[in-house]
Amino acid sequence: MSPDPGLFETTRCLCLAVRRASRAITREFDQALRLHGLRATQFTLLSALHLGGSRSIGDLAEMLSADRTTLTRNLAVAEKHGWVTLRADRNDARSRIAAITTRGSRALEAALPTWRNAQQRLTETIGEQTAASLRKLAGGPCMMPLPEKPSANRKEKMR
Amino acid sequence: MSPDPGLFETTRCLCLAVRRASRAITREFDQALRLHGLRATQFTLLSALHLGGSRSIGDLAEMLSADRTTLTRNLAVAEKHGWVTLRADRNDARSRIAAITTRGSRALEAALPTWRNAQQRLTETIGEQTAASLRKLAGGPCMMPLPEKPSANRKEKMR
DNA sequence: GTTTCATATGTGTATATGCACCTAATTGCC
DNA sequence: GGCAATTAGGTGCATATACACATATGAAAC
């Protein structure tokens, strides 16, 4: 009648925890950003390109801890909306460089107050402590160029 | 040359943080569970049904903080693999009750050591503190019946 | 009992996510 | 220069996620 005791521990599954939290939080942000035609994923993508400058698909994937092929699809969506452009790297025909457009920057900046609001509300809900843990878990400021892979001042690959 | 200071704050986006963490952790668990033909989502689903007993789609969705329609698709996958069955609620023709099958329980239990391993490794990586924060963020033991919606001892809706 | 409202679910569409496999281009080595 | 190994990316497939809309059923009001 009582559940399998050998499985009770799975109620503490960290994968479940983070996925559950991710779903709930993403819904919140998606809902808020909806008014500006953006979703959390696209907001993040545009923000990364705006702040970090044009980057290759692979660099973006690494920066966001996402699979390279996921970025291919996400960028296709952004391109369809006219938020980014994709062009070949002049120094490496294999590589494609993503760049945010004026339209993309406008959409991003228009959504900024809404984002700030959602961020503020969530921070109050979960508390500064938990927020800090979450950022630490994600590995620090995600969208900033990491020391090992600097590229802030280059638009193209160095030779 | 330097990035827009009005957007720098978005590097602290909690939605990005939780999604980034979710992607990374899910990849870990998916990879590990792959040997047993399960993914994190399906593992969680089966675990919830095994521990909490048969439940309606809506109840499962609420328990996992997922959209109802998401559970419809997830359950369809589980059903296709023969891990769960879906039948009409005897007392409410609108409702469908999901139940784990013997095959589903076997798959779940076979994957348990692998899950335990991944859980252990991740806990060591992120530390007990962060792990606790994450669980708190997700809202406690997710798969246990909540007080407001008890259903541990019923297979069907009470009248 | 009928009308009306609320509830439980299914479907269409769009996006997000990642693995397996493929192609093209670059790099190293000789 | 030429070939092998590496690297960047695309595509097919499966799954995950959720909103808008539609349907069916139960419940409540009268």
Side-chain angles (χ1 to χ4, degrees):
Chain A
M1 187 54 74
S2 69
D4 187 339
L7 274 166
F8 180 75
E9 52 183 324
T10 60
T11 57
R12 294 169 58 79
C13 181
L14 290 169
C15 188
L16 165 59
V18 75
R19 288 173 66 82
R20 200 176 190 244
S22 176
R23 280 195 293 269
I25 292 175
T26 299
R27 264 199 306 273
E28 289 272 322
F29 278 75
D30 276 358
Q31 190 101 46
L33 293 172
R34 197 177 195 77
L35 299 162
H36 302 283
L38 285 172
R39 290 204 197 174
T41 303
Q42 296 291 321
F43 180 88
T44 296
L45 185 54
L46 296 186
S47 182
L49 286 174
H50 190 96
L51 281 171
S54 305
R55 281 160 181 287
S56 74
I57 295 177
D59 282 354
L60 276 172
E62 192 169 342
M63 192 159 44
L64 301 170
S65 299
D67 190 88
R68 176 184 57 75
T69 63
T70 298
L71 260 292
T72 295
R73 323 282 175 152
N74 291 352
L75 282 167
V77 171
E79 192 183 27
K80 188 182 71 179
H81 286 284
W83 297 326
V84 308
T85 54
L86 289 163
R87 59 172 172 75
D89 187 326
R90 262 164 291 171
N91 300 121
D92 188 340
R94 293 171 303 180
S95 185
R96 291 210 302 159
I97 307 293
I100 192 169
T101 62
T102 306
R103 186 195 179 96
S105 289
R106 273 206 310 264
L108 180 61
E109 277 164 20
L112 190 57
T114 300
W115 169 83
R116 199 178 284 124
N117 224 287
Q119 174 87 346
Q120 177 69 30
R121 266 186 293 121
L122 179 59
T123 304
E124 283 166 7
T125 301
I126 69 178
E128 287 285 359
Q129 291 281 307
T130 306
S133 282
L134 198 50
R135 288 200 195 91
K136 180 180 151 233
L137 178 66
C142 312
M143 295 180 301
M144 287 293 87
L146 300 172
E148 312 86 59
K149 285 191 148 248
S151 55
N153 296 331
R154 63 145 200 223
K155 295 292 179 189
E156 228 72 335
K157 177 190 286 192
M158 292 297 188
R159 304 311 297 280
Chain B
M1 186 56 73
S2 69
D4 187 339
L7 274 165
F8 180 75
E9 51 184 324
T10 60
T11 58
R12 294 169 58 79
C13 182
L14 291 168
C15 189
L16 165 58
V18 75
R19 287 172 67 81
R20 199 174 190 247
S22 177
R23 279 194 296 267
I25 293 174
T26 299
R27 263 200 306 273
E28 289 273 321
F29 277 75
D30 277 357
Q31 190 100 46
L33 294 172
R34 196 179 197 76
L35 300 163
H36 303 283
L38 284 172
R39 290 206 200 172
T41 303
Q42 297 290 321
F43 180 87
T44 296
L45 185 54
L46 295 185
S47 182
L49 286 173
H50 190 96
L51 281 170
S54 305
R55 281 161 182 284
S56 75
I57 296 177
D59 281 355
L60 276 172
E62 193 169 341
M63 192 158 46
L64 300 171
S65 299
D67 190 87
R68 176 185 57 76
T69 64
T70 299
L71 260 291
T72 295
R73 322 281 174 152
N74 291 353
L75 283 166
V77 171
E79 192 182 27
K80 188 182 70 179
H81 287 283
W83 296 325
V84 307
T85 54
L86 289 162
R87 59 171 173 73
D89 186 326
R90 262 165 289 169
N91 300 121
D92 188 340
R94 293 171 303 179
S95 186
R96 291 211 301 160
I97 307 292
I100 192 169
T101 63
T102 305
R103 185 194 180 97
S105 289
R106 273 206 310 264
L108 180 61
E109 275 164 21
L112 190 56
T114 299
W115 168 83
R116 198 178 284 125
N117 225 287
Q119 174 87 347
Q120 177 70 29
R121 267 185 292 121
L122 180 59
T123 303
E124 282 165 9
T125 301
I126 69 177
E128 286 285 359
Q129 292 279 308
T130 306
S133 281
L134 198 50
R135 287 200 195 91
K136 180 180 152 232
L137 179 66
C142 312
M143 296 180 300
M144 287 292 89
L146 301 172
E148 313 86 58
K149 284 191 148 250
S151 55
N153 296 330
R154 62 145 204 224
K155 294 293 179 187
E156 228 72 335
K157 176 189 286 192
M158 293 294 188
R159 306 311 296 282

